Amino acid sequence: MAFLYALPGAIAEGLIWGLMAIGVYISYKILDIADLTVDGSICTGACVCAVLLGLGVPAWLSLIIAFAAGALTGIVTGLLHTALGIPSILAGILTQLMLYSINLAILGGKALVAIDSRSLELLVNMSDRTRSIISAGMIVAGTIVVLWLFFYTEVGLTLKSTGDNPDMSRAQGVNVNFNKVLGLAIANGIVALAGALLAQYKGSANINDGKGAIVIGLAAIFIGLSVSLKIKPNFVVSLIGVVCGGIVYYIVYNFVILLGMKTDYLKMLSAIIVALFLAIPYLKEQYFTKPKDLRPSAVSSNHNTGGDANA
Amino acid sequence: MLKITNLKKTFNAGTINEKTALEGLNLHLKDGDFVTVIGGNGAGKSTLQNAIAGVWKPDCGTIEIDGVDVTNMPEHKRAQFLGRVFQDPMKGTAPDMEIAENLAIAARRGTKRKLIWGVRKAEREEYKKLLATLDLGLEDRLSTKVGLLSGGQRQAVTLLMATLRRPKLLMLDEHTAALDPKTAAKVLELTDRIVTENKLTTLMITHNMNDAIAHGNRLIMMYDGHVVVDVEGEEKKKLTVQDLLNMFAQASGKEFANDRAMLS
Ligand SMILES: Nc1ncnc2c1ncn2[C@@H]1O[C@H](COP(=O)(O)OP(=O)(O)O)[C@@H](O)[C@H]1O
Ligand SMILES: [Mg+2]
């Protein structure tokens, strides 16, 4: 009974985390970059939104500005990586660290800024779950439609190819570095948008919001794709799957809390889930596949034939 | 068409792994030349193509394509002049994308990409016809992910991609070496047809001396970062594998003890 009572809240919060997971999907799955900026940019979104609401900026406008702020953090990581040659993982960590200071500055040096959710007109709000689900659902749906259209444009296709095969992309005249920056900007913009929604939903922005967000995002992606890829391996279905992954994650999260598990252990649980999903393909390859036929006659149909890289 | 002057490239300079891969190379291709390139392992053949493509900057020398000095042009900008097919069939296509999407990306090489539909309807019809000419049954699989194709099919698609937008120079780097003999022969035949039909200036590296003699109008042999043999026209047509081995012995100053060294 208590579980059923918690369900709408879990769905609303899951939708918001699902939105964040879409951002992670763009960097991790499409660009093939494990972007750790996310833990900082989600908090940037929350901080920007909370402060702007306090200044009397309308909720929808604060979301747009939060998106822009997140995009900026992605650009920083992208430039650290492409213009300064820093490995992408490190670039993300560096930006994340910078963002801790910047987020504190945005909050005016305070660790927490509350949002007056009684008097302000918010899009999502913990005390009105139905409205939250509808608003968050519409924002998620809108984001999916825009991304779906974008990734089928000329620019969008090259963004996909950049992550899929950078050599091929460069040979076809694609500016791979520019695309990485652009992709990271979009990804972190969406992540910050989710952060802003989260702040509205919870009624506050906290400097520690978003710790481990990347792991939650990956968990949502793995949970979602494990089902959606079996249904239809296309872009829109994958994105919907990722959002559903976020919702499932939050339903499980709430269920585990109801079972009496301390919330302190939930990060451990998320990390284990993600570790398992990351390990499964490797374990399958190591222990459950037969040796491949490497005779020359089989080579043309064998996908692992590298030959010499000829670089 | 292509004019390379005094091109030098040393890898890992100043370390024990220092390797001078190009030693002041000069090469001049005329419009419509179909040049086959042979030479032992490590002679610098792939390095030459990477230099032309702009994968890194050479230490010195200049590269001119059709009168444009591209020496300092970044790789993705130079791509407007070049079509490339690599030895590794995995390298030339995006595996997680559809055949049509791969072709569409290639069809826009050298243009400014916009926020308009990435694969138009009319295009798909055109690709269908083009794929049918490959005779590999790909014409009905426009929406198939390229990763599901065989190595030979992928090389054929890459070849289409390299030539879909007419390149000023087509560069093939042992593009049939990873394929089984039957598929290799087919891809080579396809290459010949595309190059002849479009009168493409072509630089084709091969490890097969018979292929090097049978194809193209000109043959160059590389050794130690130089061009050591350059024959064309009637003289090239009359070449035999034995001639090539003799030339190699002369250039390298070594008796050709083991022709595997050159064949591989
Ligand atoms: N990116 C690189 N870094 C270091 N050494 C390289 C690189 N590319 C080529 N070389 C070296 O340059 C020499 C020529 O290589 P390459 O052009 O690939 O020969 P091939 O004629 O067989 O294609 C080789 O000794 C190779 O090891
Ligand atoms: Mg080579």
Side-chain angles (χ1 to χ4, degrees), chain B residues 137-238:
Chain B
L138 294 178
E139 57 274 22
D140 299 318
R141 299 177 66 189
L142 275 177
S143 302
T144 303
K145 298 260 159 84
V146 173
L148 298 173
L149 307 184
S150 72
Q153 288 173 323
R154 280 180 81 159
Q155 280 309 63
V157 171
T158 310
L159 198 56
L160 268 192
M161 287 168 63
T163 52
L164 203 52
R165 225 187 149 74
R166 191 174 191 281
K168 290 198 185 293
L169 174 67
L170 176 64
M171 298 199 288
L172 312 164
D173 188 354
E174 306 200 27
H175 67 305
T176 61
L179 310 176
D180 66 81
K182 215 174 116 206
T183 317
K186 195 159 181 180
V187 171
L188 205 54
E189 185 193 310
L190 181 68
T191 307
D192 244 347
R193 207 192 68 218
I194 291 179
V195 169
T196 322
E197 271 174 14
N198 301 291
K199 301 192 182 63
L200 297 175
T201 311
T202 304
L203 201 56
M204 179 172 96
I205 300 174
T206 173
H207 61 277
N208 184 318
M209 287 194 257
N210 288 312
D211 287 346
I213 293 168
H215 298 267
N217 65 316
R218 181 172 164 194
L219 179 151
I220 64 175
M221 182 191 289
M222 286 186 65
Y223 178 76
D224 230 5
H226 301 279
V227 173
V228 289
V229 173
D230 189 343
V231 281
E232 61 183 311
E234 285 306 310
E235 194 189 346
K236 184 207 165 238
K237 273 189 198 145
K238 283 188 276 190

Side-chain angles (χ1 to χ4, degrees), chain A residues 310-311, chain B residues 11-12 19 21 39-48 56 173-174:
Chain A
N310 248 307
Chain B
F11 290 109
N12 307 314
K19 167 77 201 174
N41 240 337
K45 307 181 295 294
S46 301
T47 305
L48 170 62
W56 25 251
D173 188 354
E174 306 200 27

Side-chain angles (χ1 to χ4, degrees), chain A residues 152 154 164-165 172 300 303 310, chain B residues 46 87 93 96 113 118 147 151:
Chain A
Y152 285 99
E154 293 183 355
D164 202 16
N165 187 343
Q172 298 303 341
S300 67
H303 285 256
N310 248 307
Chain B
S46 301
Q87 174 174 359
T93 43
D96 225 19
R113 318 219 181 213

Side-chain angles (χ1 to χ4, degrees), chain A residues 93-111:
Chain A
I93 292 176
L94 292 175
T95 310
Q96 192 193 114
L97 200 62
M98 291 180 215
L99 286 177
Y100 187 83
S101 306
I102 288 172
N103 292 340
L104 257 182
I106 294 173
L107 292 181
K110 293 185 291 249

Side-chain angles (χ1 to χ4, degrees), chain A residues 23-105:
Chain A
V24 177
Y25 179 90
I26 291 173
S27 51
Y28 184 72
K29 279 285 174 187
I30 295 183
L31 289 180
D32 199 21
I33 291 175
D35 174 30
L36 299 181
T37 315
V38 170
D39 281 22
S41 58
I42 187 171
C43 187
T44 304
C47 297
V48 166
C49 180
V51 169
L52 287 177
L53 287 171
L55 293 174
V57 175
W60 62 270
L61 185 57
S62 67
L63 287 185
I64 294 175
I65 298 174
F67 176 93
L72 211 58
T73 70
I75 291 173
V76 171
T77 301
L79 290 178
L80 284 174
H81 174 48
T82 58
L84 302 182
I86 298 169
S88 56
I89 291 229
L90 266 177
I93 292 176
L94 292 175
T95 310
Q96 192 193 114
L97 200 62
M98 291 180 215
L99 286 177
Y100 187 83
S101 306
I102 288 172
N103 292 340
L104 257 182

